[in-house]
Amino acid sequence: MVKRIGVLTSGGDAPGMNAAIRAVVRTAAAEEVEVVGIRRGYAGLLDKEIVQLGPRSVANLIHRGGTMLGTARSEEMKTAAGLRKAAENLESCGVDGLVAIGGDGTFRGAKELSEISSVHSVGVPGTIDNDLYGTDATIGFDSAVNTAVEAIDRLRDTAEAHDRLFFVEVMGRTRGFIALSVGVAAGAEDVLIPEVPTDLEALSAAIRTRLAAGKRSSIVVVAEGDDAGRAFEIADRLGHVLVMDYRVCVLGHVQRGGAPSAQDRLIASKLGAGAVRTLLEGRTGVMVGVTNGMVIETPFVETWSKEKNLDTTLLYLMKVLAR
Ligand code: F6P
């Protein structure tokens, strides 16, 4: 049975990562299993930046954004030598179980580590993008959506004051999960996502139609990975045909900060505890996720090779509700 667990956070940070770390540490403590924290993701593992963690180490943490361990991206980890060094560092620290909190890049590293060493590994989906197969939601997604919606609620005031259209760019890497949820929840008039080819002519015509119907301000949510480009590019391409004044607002890394929502704290607690349970029950090479409130396990490879469905019926709902 796994005797000592290492936990790390890797890739883009997400609100709720700390709640997941807390759940790993306290669940392991309840089973009298030691936990060490690995700072700065795989970069810290390569530098052996290891810290002992106990129940008190994660006190007063559940409500804090970011990650107490820090995170980083590591090019060295993508090399055979780097991978070997990371595996040796884990084994020399007596770590025989790894909980890797992050996205697909994090899980690729964890899978490779398990393949060249005796270390078992389990992934916890920690990214605001929600672009991992095998979980209804990733840790950080709900918080990021809430942050973006709050920002758009503020933009509405000034858009209405000036009879303006706002192009609002949100994160999400190559998927439109953040953009679509934000679009519906913020009552946006349009949302541009990578999953649906963007027709700028149709967008421009829709804006004109709504203006003629008396809608004097509009919000267009743009996913950063949209096929038509980033928000500023789209605004530049449309500017000469738009019949109303417009501005662009890129929400950027604001979406990654702030206190995790209750929903993110809940799934982070479930998944941090679930990851420890999976390791202690002898399983490895899987990501723990939540579906219909239940914790499930998905083989690492499927989390990035299988495409997660986007609820495109929300697009139709938006069209109806944005009239
Ligand atoms: O993966 C999370 C994420 O916030 C993406 O949505 C975004 O494209 C990327 O990270 C930004 O990466 P960085 O923080 O390195 O600029």
Side-chain angles (χ1 to χ4, degrees):
M1 182 179 103
V2 164
K3 293 280 183 293
R4 177 177 253 209
I5 291 175
V7 57
L8 62 80
T9 49
S10 171
D13 65 305
M17 279 186 163
N18 277 325
I21 295 167
R22 171 180 177 271
V24 167
V25 172
R26 291 192 170 172
T27 303
E31 302 294 333
E32 296 179 357
V33 172
E34 275 188 78
V35 177
V36 292
I38 300 162
R39 294 196 184 285
R40 295 187 312 111
Y42 293 118
L45 175 58
L46 288 164
D47 297 339
K48 256 191 174 180
E49 291 182 47
I50 311 281
V51 57
Q52 198 75 30
L53 293 178
R56 299 281 59 76
S57 316
V58 291
N60 207 19
L61 187 65
I62 191 168
H63 63 297
R64 291 181 56 201
T67 159
M68 68 172 279
L69 292 174
T71 179
R73 294 185 167 95
S74 167
E75 288 308 311
E76 186 184 356
M77 188 61 184
K78 295 174 184 171
T79 68
L83 193 57
R84 258 194 316 279
K85 183 179 175 188
E88 286 161 9
N89 286 352
L90 281 176
E91 290 175 336
S92 67
C93 294
V95 170
D96 50 6
L98 177 66
V99 175
I101 304 170
D104 63 310
T106 307
F107 298 165
R108 291 175 196 271
K111 175 176 179 293
E112 289 166 357
L113 277 172
S114 286
E115 287 167 348
I116 64 163
S117 72
S118 58
V119 177
H120 283 196
S121 64
V122 173
V124 173
T127 169
I128 66 169
D129 302 332
N130 199 27
D131 56 353
L132 291 167
Y133 179 87
T135 186
D136 291 350
T138 55
I139 295 167
F141 172 64
D142 184 61
S143 301
V145 167
N146 289 339
T147 298
V149 167
E150 280 168 25
I152 292 175
D153 289 352
R154 293 169 187 274
L155 284 174
R156 278 195 172 286
D157 295 340
T158 182
E160 191 178 8
H162 285 266
D163 289 348
R164 275 176 175 160
L165 179 146
F166 269 86
F167 293 98
V168 183
E169 184 180 298
V170 296
M171 285 183 158
R173 228 168 38 150
T174 63
R175 299 300 306 270
F177 290 102
I178 294 177
L180 191 48
S181 292
V182 168
V184 175
E189 278 65 38
D190 280 286
V191 64
L192 309 181
I193 56 176
E195 292 84 352
V196 176
T198 292
D199 178 342
L200 291 181
E201 282 302 311
L203 175 62
S204 176
I207 292 167
R208 276 199 297 276
T209 304
R210 283 195 290 264
L211 186 60
K215 190 174 271 253
R216 308 185 60 76
S217 62
S218 266
I219 301 285
V220 177
V221 177
V222 182
E224 63 177 346
D226 188 65
D227 63 300
R230 309 293 291 262
F232 274 108
E233 294 164 338
I234 291 172
D236 287 346
R237 287 171 64 184
L238 272 181
H240 63 290
V241 293
L242 276 183
V243 292
M244 58 195 302
D245 194 12
Y246 67 90
R247 292 293 187 274
V248 177
C249 182
V250 177
L251 298 183
H253 287 70
V254 164
Q255 298 160 91
R256 290 253 290 273
S261 65
Q263 176 65 15
D264 275 332
R265 299 180 202 192
L266 189 60
I267 62 172
S269 301
K270 284 182 175 182
L271 294 181
V276 172
R277 199 166 35 249
T278 297
L279 284 174
L280 297 187
E281 290 170 2
R283 294 185 297 282
T284 182
V286 295
M287 175 196 82
V288 287
V290 279
T291 185
N292 302 324
M294 302 297 291
V295 176
I296 60 168
E297 295 172 0
T298 303
F300 275 144
V301 174
E302 292 184 19
T303 65
W304 63 75
S305 62
K306 285 194 173 181
E307 177 153 303
K308 183 175 190 168
N309 286 332
L310 185 89
D311 180 1
T312 47
T313 60
L314 287 178
L315 283 169
Y316 176 73
L317 178 63
M318 271 198 61
K319 289 266 176 279
V320 170
L321 302 185
R323 302 173 81 81

